[in-house]
Amino acid sequence: MSAAEVAIEGYRWVLEQWSPWPTWTLFPPAVLCVHIIVLWPYALFLLACNRYRFSWFEPYRIQAGKVPEWALIKQAMFHEVYSTFVGTPTAMIGLGFISAMRGMDFSPDALPPLIEAVAVVAIWWLLFDTYFYWSHRLMHHKSLYQHIHKQHHRFYVPTGFAATYAHPVEEIFVNLASTIIGPVLFPSHFVVFLVYFATRLYETVDAHSGFSFPWSPWSLMYRAAQKHDFHHSHNQGNFGALIWDRFTGTDSKFKKFYKLGPFASDQKAANTAAAKKDKQQ
């Protein structure tokens, strides 16, 4: 059996064990597993990078020589514990019920072809970027920033656990809403949703990592970590992820700062050059 066939049979077994309950109630435990598998290992790895400053990874640090405040990291970690085990699973109860009403399929025999699944995830990502860009930009309005969004921007130097460290209003109406708008409007298969949700978690932790790793697909696609790190360190522009900053020009200061570079693969060289320049001054 191929790996895909093994995975499908495993999923079929899970559904059989879950048969006494409505299938949509799989949402909370499944999302909990995705959180533990995707977010926590990467965020803890970044925590170790900030704690021990491994020589292998320091050249890829965006704000060379700077680390987040430890007291703030601890707050964000406790916040993420609550989010992982209470907040997000609770929200998934509602999403599971709505998704079932909207026609989301759970059957292992109804998995869409790979091309269709990729297309669906791409549409969901575009909808996420659209909602997140405009709602995030709204959070920077002076009437909302001080009371809501400022909590997230306490991280001048971001790290993985900063990704979900936000005011409850922002968590619900910006972070959660932007992530689920695609699956709610255009439901597909439950497994496709889990894959999409995993990519969303991976991307948001990577964007807040503080490191521009050359092997990161998000850095290679649109310099995610550099863009969002600039947003935190300068509190200017870069409100979205994929397209809207380019269309609206809200990434102009970021481009000017980097002089249209360096790309993610050049972060090591850029940091080395900056360090040499500091020594000469």
mmCIF file with all atom_site columns, all heavy atoms in Angstrom, residues 76-88:
data_model
loop_
_atom_site.group_PDB
_atom_site.id
_atom_site.type_symbol
_atom_site.label_atom_id
_atom_site.label_alt_id
_atom_site.label_comp_id
_atom_site.label_asym_id
_atom_site.label_entity_id
_atom_site.label_seq_id
_atom_site.pdbx_PDB_ins_code
_atom_site.Cartn_x
_atom_site.Cartn_y
_atom_site.Cartn_z
_atom_site.occupancy
_atom_site.B_iso_or_equiv
_atom_site.pdbx_formal_charge
_atom_site.auth_seq_id
_atom_site.auth_comp_id
_atom_site.auth_asym_id
_atom_site.auth_atom_id
_atom_site.pdbx_PDB_model_num
ATOM 1   N N   . ALA A 1 76 ? 2.977   34.850 26.088 1.00 0.00 ? 76 ALA A N   1
ATOM 2   C CA  . ALA A 1 76 ? 2.469   34.321 24.818 1.00 0.00 ? 76 ALA A CA  1
ATOM 3   C C   . ALA A 1 76 ? 2.341   32.800 24.858 1.00 0.00 ? 76 ALA A C   1
ATOM 4   O O   . ALA A 1 76 ? 1.400   32.234 24.279 1.00 0.00 ? 76 ALA A O   1
ATOM 5   C CB  . ALA A 1 76 ? 3.393   34.745 23.676 1.00 0.00 ? 76 ALA A CB  1
ATOM 6   N N   . MET A 1 77 ? 3.262   32.130 25.553 1.00 0.00 ? 77 MET A N   1
ATOM 7   C CA  . MET A 1 77 ? 3.188   30.673 25.674 1.00 0.00 ? 77 MET A CA  1
ATOM 8   C C   . MET A 1 77 ? 1.947   30.255 26.457 1.00 0.00 ? 77 MET A C   1
ATOM 9   O O   . MET A 1 77 ? 1.231   29.326 26.058 1.00 0.00 ? 77 MET A O   1
ATOM 10  C CB  . MET A 1 77 ? 4.446   30.135 26.345 1.00 0.00 ? 77 MET A CB  1
ATOM 11  C CG  . MET A 1 77 ? 5.680   30.131 25.472 1.00 0.00 ? 77 MET A CG  1
ATOM 12  S SD  . MET A 1 77 ? 7.101   29.385 26.307 1.00 0.00 ? 77 MET A SD  1
ATOM 13  C CE  . MET A 1 77 ? 6.555   27.668 26.451 1.00 0.00 ? 77 MET A CE  1
ATOM 14  N N   . PHE A 1 78 ? 1.694   30.904 27.588 1.00 0.00 ? 78 PHE A N   1
ATOM 15  C CA  . PHE A 1 78 ? 0.492   30.597 28.368 1.00 0.00 ? 78 PHE A CA  1
ATOM 16  C C   . PHE A 1 78 ? -0.766  30.880 27.548 1.00 0.00 ? 78 PHE A C   1
ATOM 17  O O   . PHE A 1 78 ? -1.757  30.141 27.614 1.00 0.00 ? 78 PHE A O   1
ATOM 18  C CB  . PHE A 1 78 ? 0.473   31.401 29.665 1.00 0.00 ? 78 PHE A CB  1
ATOM 19  C CG  . PHE A 1 78 ? 1.402   30.868 30.718 1.00 0.00 ? 78 PHE A CG  1
ATOM 20  C CD1 . PHE A 1 78 ? 2.426   31.649 31.221 1.00 0.00 ? 78 PHE A CD1 1
ATOM 21  C CD2 . PHE A 1 78 ? 1.248   29.579 31.203 1.00 0.00 ? 78 PHE A CD2 1
ATOM 22  C CE1 . PHE A 1 78 ? 3.287   31.154 32.191 1.00 0.00 ? 78 PHE A CE1 1
ATOM 23  C CE2 . PHE A 1 78 ? 2.102   29.071 32.183 1.00 0.00 ? 78 PHE A CE2 1
ATOM 24  C CZ  . PHE A 1 78 ? 3.122   29.861 32.675 1.00 0.00 ? 78 PHE A CZ  1
ATOM 25  N N   . HIS A 1 79 ? -0.710  31.960 26.774 1.00 0.00 ? 79 HIS A N   1
ATOM 26  C CA  . HIS A 1 79 ? -1.835  32.304 25.905 1.00 0.00 ? 79 HIS A CA  1
ATOM 27  C C   . HIS A 1 79 ? -2.067  31.196 24.884 1.00 0.00 ? 79 HIS A C   1
ATOM 28  O O   . HIS A 1 79 ? -3.216  30.817 24.617 1.00 0.00 ? 79 HIS A O   1
ATOM 29  C CB  . HIS A 1 79 ? -1.538  33.628 25.197 1.00 0.00 ? 79 HIS A CB  1
ATOM 30  C CG  . HIS A 1 79 ? -2.655  34.125 24.352 1.00 0.00 ? 79 HIS A CG  1
ATOM 31  N ND1 . HIS A 1 79 ? -3.599  35.025 24.798 1.00 0.00 ? 79 HIS A ND1 1
ATOM 32  C CD2 . HIS A 1 79 ? -3.007  33.846 23.058 1.00 0.00 ? 79 HIS A CD2 1
ATOM 33  C CE1 . HIS A 1 79 ? -4.462  35.278 23.837 1.00 0.00 ? 79 HIS A CE1 1
ATOM 34  N NE2 . HIS A 1 79 ? -4.130  34.579 22.769 1.00 0.00 ? 79 HIS A NE2 1
ATOM 35  N N   . GLU A 1 80 ? -0.975  30.658 24.323 1.00 0.00 ? 80 GLU A N   1
ATOM 36  C CA  . GLU A 1 80 ? -1.090  29.609 23.312 1.00 0.00 ? 80 GLU A CA  1
ATOM 37  C C   . GLU A 1 80 ? -1.576  28.299 23.920 1.00 0.00 ? 80 GLU A C   1
ATOM 38  O O   . GLU A 1 80 ? -2.289  27.536 23.259 1.00 0.00 ? 80 GLU A O   1
ATOM 39  C CB  . GLU A 1 80 ? 0.248   29.393 22.609 1.00 0.00 ? 80 GLU A CB  1
ATOM 40  C CG  . GLU A 1 80 ? 0.230   28.319 21.531 1.00 0.00 ? 80 GLU A CG  1
ATOM 41  C CD  . GLU A 1 80 ? -0.878  28.530 20.512 1.00 0.00 ? 80 GLU A CD  1
ATOM 42  O OE1 . GLU A 1 80 ? -1.096  29.697 20.097 1.00 0.00 ? 80 GLU A OE1 1
ATOM 43  O OE2 . GLU A 1 80 ? -1.539  27.546 20.127 1.00 0.00 ? 80 GLU A OE2 1
ATOM 44  N N   . VAL A 1 81 ? -1.218  28.014 25.166 1.00 0.00 ? 81 VAL A N   1
ATOM 45  C CA  . VAL A 1 81 ? -1.747  26.821 25.835 1.00 0.00 ? 81 VAL A CA  1
ATOM 46  C C   . VAL A 1 81 ? -3.268  26.893 25.889 1.00 0.00 ? 81 VAL A C   1
ATOM 47  O O   . VAL A 1 81 ? -3.966  25.927 25.562 1.00 0.00 ? 81 VAL A O   1
ATOM 48  C CB  . VAL A 1 81 ? -1.164  26.689 27.262 1.00 0.00 ? 81 VAL A CB  1
ATOM 49  C CG1 . VAL A 1 81 ? -1.920  25.614 28.043 1.00 0.00 ? 81 VAL A CG1 1
ATOM 50  C CG2 . VAL A 1 81 ? 0.319   26.339 27.192 1.00 0.00 ? 81 VAL A CG2 1
ATOM 51  N N   . TYR A 1 82 ? -3.771  28.061 26.289 1.00 0.00 ? 82 TYR A N   1
ATOM 52  C CA  . TYR A 1 82 ? -5.232  28.246 26.340 1.00 0.00 ? 82 TYR A CA  1
ATOM 53  C C   . TYR A 1 82 ? -5.833  28.147 24.939 1.00 0.00 ? 82 TYR A C   1
ATOM 54  O O   . TYR A 1 82 ? -6.871  27.499 24.740 1.00 0.00 ? 82 TYR A O   1
ATOM 55  C CB  . TYR A 1 82 ? -5.564  29.600 26.953 1.00 0.00 ? 82 TYR A CB  1
ATOM 56  C CG  . TYR A 1 82 ? -7.047  29.904 26.955 1.00 0.00 ? 82 TYR A CG  1
ATOM 57  C CD1 . TYR A 1 82 ? -7.875  29.416 27.971 1.00 0.00 ? 82 TYR A CD1 1
ATOM 58  C CD2 . TYR A 1 82 ? -7.628  30.656 25.928 1.00 0.00 ? 82 TYR A CD2 1
ATOM 59  C CE1 . TYR A 1 82 ? -9.243  29.665 27.964 1.00 0.00 ? 82 TYR A CE1 1
ATOM 60  C CE2 . TYR A 1 82 ? -8.990  30.903 25.918 1.00 0.00 ? 82 TYR A CE2 1
ATOM 61  C CZ  . TYR A 1 82 ? -9.785  30.417 26.930 1.00 0.00 ? 82 TYR A CZ  1
ATOM 62  O OH  . TYR A 1 82 ? -11.130 30.655 26.911 1.00 0.00 ? 82 TYR A OH  1
ATOM 63  N N   . SER A 1 83 ? -5.177  28.778 23.977 1.00 0.00 ? 83 SER A N   1
ATOM 64  C CA  . SER A 1 83 ? -5.697  28.766 22.609 1.00 0.00 ? 83 SER A CA  1
ATOM 65  C C   . SER A 1 83 ? -5.738  27.350 22.042 1.00 0.00 ? 83 SER A C   1
ATOM 66  O O   . SER A 1 83 ? -6.713  26.943 21.399 1.00 0.00 ? 83 SER A O   1
ATOM 67  C CB  . SER A 1 83 ? -4.836  29.662 21.713 1.00 0.00 ? 83 SER A CB  1
ATOM 68  O OG  . SER A 1 83 ? -5.285  29.626 20.373 1.00 0.00 ? 83 SER A OG  1
ATOM 69  N N   . THR A 1 84 ? -4.683  26.576 22.285 1.00 0.00 ? 84 THR A N   1
ATOM 70  C CA  . THR A 1 84 ? -4.582  25.228 21.736 1.00 0.00 ? 84 THR A CA  1
ATOM 71  C C   . THR A 1 84 ? -5.614  24.288 22.337 1.00 0.00 ? 84 THR A C   1
ATOM 72  O O   . THR A 1 84 ? -6.286  23.540 21.614 1.00 0.00 ? 84 THR A O   1
ATOM 73  C CB  . THR A 1 84 ? -3.173  24.649 21.978 1.00 0.00 ? 84 THR A CB  1
ATOM 74  O OG1 . THR A 1 84 ? -2.209  25.451 21.298 1.00 0.00 ? 84 THR A OG1 1
ATOM 75  C CG2 . THR A 1 84 ? -3.077  23.217 21.465 1.00 0.00 ? 84 THR A CG2 1
ATOM 76  N N   . PHE A 1 85 ? -5.760  24.328 23.667 1.00 0.00 ? 85 PHE A N   1
ATOM 77  C CA  . PHE A 1 85 ? -6.566  23.318 24.352 1.00 0.00 ? 85 PHE A CA  1
ATOM 78  C C   . PHE A 1 85 ? -7.986  23.762 24.701 1.00 0.00 ? 85 PHE A C   1
ATOM 79  O O   . PHE A 1 85 ? -8.824  22.933 25.043 1.00 0.00 ? 85 PHE A O   1
ATOM 80  C CB  . PHE A 1 85 ? -5.839  22.865 25.625 1.00 0.00 ? 85 PHE A CB  1
ATOM 81  C CG  . PHE A 1 85 ? -4.558  22.140 25.343 1.00 0.00 ? 85 PHE A CG  1
ATOM 82  C CD1 . PHE A 1 85 ? -3.342  22.803 25.431 1.00 0.00 ? 85 PHE A CD1 1
ATOM 83  C CD2 . PHE A 1 85 ? -4.559  20.810 24.957 1.00 0.00 ? 85 PHE A CD2 1
ATOM 84  C CE1 . PHE A 1 85 ? -2.148  22.141 25.155 1.00 0.00 ? 85 PHE A CE1 1
ATOM 85  C CE2 . PHE A 1 85 ? -3.384  20.140 24.687 1.00 0.00 ? 85 PHE A CE2 1
ATOM 86  C CZ  . PHE A 1 85 ? -2.163  20.802 24.773 1.00 0.00 ? 85 PHE A CZ  1
ATOM 87  N N   . VAL A 1 86 ? -8.256  25.072 24.620 1.00 0.00 ? 86 VAL A N   1
ATOM 88  C CA  . VAL A 1 86 ? -9.587  25.557 24.978 1.00 0.00 ? 86 VAL A CA  1
ATOM 89  C C   . VAL A 1 86 ? -10.200 26.405 23.862 1.00 0.00 ? 86 VAL A C   1
ATOM 90  O O   . VAL A 1 86 ? -11.256 26.060 23.307 1.00 0.00 ? 86 VAL A O   1
ATOM 91  C CB  . VAL A 1 86 ? -9.555  26.376 26.291 1.00 0.00 ? 86 VAL A CB  1
ATOM 92  C CG1 . VAL A 1 86 ? -10.970 26.866 26.644 1.00 0.00 ? 86 VAL A CG1 1
ATOM 93  C CG2 . VAL A 1 86 ? -8.982  25.549 27.430 1.00 0.00 ? 86 VAL A CG2 1
ATOM 94  N N   . GLY A 1 87 ? -9.552  27.526 23.550 1.00 0.00 ? 87 GLY A N   1
ATOM 95  C CA  . GLY A 1 87 ? -10.133 28.504 22.634 1.00 0.00 ? 87 GLY A CA  1
ATOM 96  C C   . GLY A 1 87 ? -10.430 27.961 21.251 1.00 0.00 ? 87 GLY A C   1
ATOM 97  O O   . GLY A 1 87 ? -11.586 28.009 20.785 1.00 0.00 ? 87 GLY A O   1
ATOM 98  N N   . THR A 1 88 ? -9.410  27.435 20.580 1.00 0.00 ? 88 THR A N   1
ATOM 99  C CA  . THR A 1 88 ? -9.600  26.966 19.206 1.00 0.00 ? 88 THR A CA  1
ATOM 100 C C   . THR A 1 88 ? -10.526 25.751 19.119 1.00 0.00 ? 88 THR A C   1
ATOM 101 O O   . THR A 1 88 ? -11.434 25.726 18.277 1.00 0.00 ? 88 THR A O   1
ATOM 102 C CB  . THR A 1 88 ? -8.250  26.654 18.549 1.00 0.00 ? 88 THR A CB  1
ATOM 103 O OG1 . THR A 1 88 ? -7.434  27.841 18.564 1.00 0.00 ? 88 THR A OG1 1
ATOM 104 C CG2 . THR A 1 88 ? -8.428  26.195 17.110 1.00 0.00 ? 88 THR A CG2 1
#
